[in-house]
Amino acid sequence: MLAVMLFGATGCGAAAGGESGTDGTNVIRVGETDGMPSAFLHFGEERGIFADHGIELEIDASAGGAAAIPALVGGNLDVAGSNVVSGLLAGHRGLPVRIIAPGTFATDDTERDFSAVVVSEDSGIDGPEDLAGASIAVNTLQNIGDISIVTALEKQGVDTSGIQFTEIGFPQMLPALQSGRVDAAWVIEPFLSIGQQQGLTPVIRPYTEAREGLQVGCFLTTEEFLDDNGDKAGAFRAAVADVAAYITEHPDEFRAALPELEGLDPALAESMVLPSYHDSIDADSLRLVADRMRASGFTDEEIDVDSLIATPRTTPGRGDE
């Protein structure tokens, strides 16, 4: 499905960019997945961090996920939030996209992360080894979910050859698990906390067990946007770094904003595990993911990760002026 959507976009023109806001700021159209990813951007806007870099964001949460990269290449977005598998695959398959900034990261705690594979109490699955031969729900087939699950399980010596991945949207996963449609479900927050409230048990945290602090998300733009709007791309990258640093230093402030930003129950926002955020791209994480993509048959060739990472022109951040 991803390949069809990626190559279906190649006939469209790249984003032109260059629009200005009413106050003279540079407008950047960003597509990002609804939930925690878009909350990161909204929080940065509310705290004035993007404005500090002369940027006004137009955030389209409906263009996140699988729709983000086609919308980017088709000229409807200037920047697209993506998981790293989709971003690497798009660039490797010839789409004119480059990674300009990091998105979410796993924690460095194998016992506590914002992603986990959960099971019901009567599943008979007590640990990672029991997932051999199981059916596991993931939100998208052949993507970051199954890549990280297989990597984490194989590190523990689990035979993954018999695992059957089933594509189910995050909101529908917990009901599917409770009804017995699948044996286990790979969920992210807030669905992880909701599932635990329903009595579900995490048996493996694939992101952090594949690699502690694994980079999971990234922001992409087109080569044309970099050529024509390098300063804007650099300002966006610098602003993302500042938002990441601010949330890292003020996690409670970010939690407190989530009920309003994402409509979460305040108690849920208080208990859920937050992703980690960093101010720079983790190329080693990307290389690990690229190697696993090849090992899993996503591509027959080695992915040149370094060529897909762009370094836009930078602008001063908070405290640098």
Side-chain angles (χ1 to χ4, degrees), residues 17-96:
E19 298 89 345
S20 296
T22 55
D23 58 356
T25 56
N26 287 312
V27 174
I28 293 183
R29 302 166 298 164
V30 185
E32 184 55 292
T33 304
D34 195 15
M36 293 297 291
S38 61
F40 173 91
L41 297 175
H42 286 299
F43 182 79
E45 277 214 301
E46 285 199 352
R47 293 304 179 272
I49 297 174
F50 285 97
D52 285 350
H53 289 273
I55 298 172
E56 177 184 337
L57 298 184
E58 290 183 358
I59 303 169
D60 183 355
S62 67
I69 296 175
L72 174 69
V73 178
N76 297 313
L77 297 171
D78 302 316
V79 174
S82 170
N83 71 76
V84 295
V85 171
S86 295
L88 291 172
L89 193 60
H92 177 67
R93 289 182 169 174
L95 292 185

